[in-house]
Amino acid sequence: LLVHGSGDDASDWAQSLAEDIEAALLQPELWDVTAYDWSEPAANKLLAAGRGLDHGMAIGEVLALERDYSAVQVISHSVGGHVSHGIAQTWTDGVLQQTFLDPFGGRGLVRWSYGHTRFGETGDFSETYFNADDGVPSTDKPPLHTHGFDVTALRDSSYEDDAHWWPIEWYRNSLGSGIGLDLALPFAGDESWSQYP
């Protein structure tokens, strides 16, 4: 499941990345790859985090009641991380992998560390690809419960889009493979690090 952030919709990157992932799958018939569009409720940046959590909890309930999945991966960008976090709160029927792309962890006007302390806490495996110099509040380091990959220095001068979108582009180019573990070593402090594939 691919989840966009606030101020964009699934057509901006999630749908095309879903198509790229489907094309890379060895057995596409075994997977459901979906870009989730929640652009209308996500449009208000002040309310998007809370609405994202609500959307994620509703998706988790649907997964629990109507689908028989043994594993789910949620790839989310920015405030879409709150959707992923909501899914993790309600869907516990299988393995949940959370991939956060420059996650925006703020919630409301005063809870700027919410995502930093909560994202990834209930997923089976959680990873964050982040950009440290984009100027977006609360996106410059990985949440505590995720394996962090700082992709800031990998952005070359030919990349001209918003730096907050760079982790999406980097992930798209890698399709989650060929990750240099040396990027994550500074953040390798939790027990699950030894189980990283």
Side-chain angles (χ1 to χ4, degrees):
L1 180 65
L2 294 96
V3 184
H4 65 82
S6 181
D8 58 335
D9 60 41
S11 69
D12 286 315
W13 66 270
Q15 187 59 49
S16 62
L17 182 54
E19 292 165 4
D20 291 348
I21 290 170
E22 283 182 311
L25 292 172
L26 296 177
Q27 295 178 298
E29 68 279 1
L30 299 179
W31 296 88
D32 291 325
V33 182
T34 303
Y36 181 65
D37 193 322
W38 67 298
S39 53
E40 188 175 321
N44 184 323
K45 294 185 186 308
L46 292 176
L47 302 175
R51 289 177 175 172
L53 188 61
D54 292 343
H55 274 252
M57 293 174 78
I59 291 168
E61 290 171 3
V62 169
L63 288 172
L65 295 174
E66 298 183 16
R67 300 287 184 172
D68 187 26
Y69 290 114
S70 60
V72 171
Q73 180 178 5
V74 181
I75 302 170
S76 60
H77 176 244
S78 193
V79 78
H82 289 273
V83 176
S84 181
H85 183 61
I87 292 170
Q89 302 305 303
T90 53
W91 185 74
T92 57
D93 296 340
V95 175
L96 177 62
Q97 178 177 343
Q98 294 175 286
T99 300
F100 296 97
L101 304 175
D102 221 26
F104 176 79
R107 185 143 183 235
L109 295 174
V110 294
R111 297 171 69 187
W112 288 103
S113 64
Y114 179 86
H116 182 68
T117 59
R118 305 284 308 274
F119 288 173
E121 69 184 349
T122 54
D124 294 291
F125 184 81
S126 301
E127 59 190 347
T128 298
Y129 300 90
F130 69 98
N131 183 66
D133 69 356
D134 60 21
V136 177
S138 81
T139 66
D140 59 348
K141 60 186 174 185
L144 295 173
H145 305 286
T146 72
H147 298 291
F149 298 90
D150 184 346
V151 298
T152 309
L154 301 176
R155 188 177 71 241
D156 63 32
S157 59
S158 66
Y159 183 78
E160 296 179 358
D161 289 335
D162 183 338
H164 183 47
W165 287 62
W166 169 242
I168 298 171
E169 191 63 28
W170 188 88
Y171 190 81
R172 175 192 307 279
N173 291 337
S174 72
L175 280 178
S177 63
I179 299 163
L181 294 182
D182 54 317
L183 293 173
L185 288 176
F187 306 101
D190 65 323
E191 294 175 7
S192 63
W193 176 254
S194 62
Q195 298 174 20
Y196 189 84

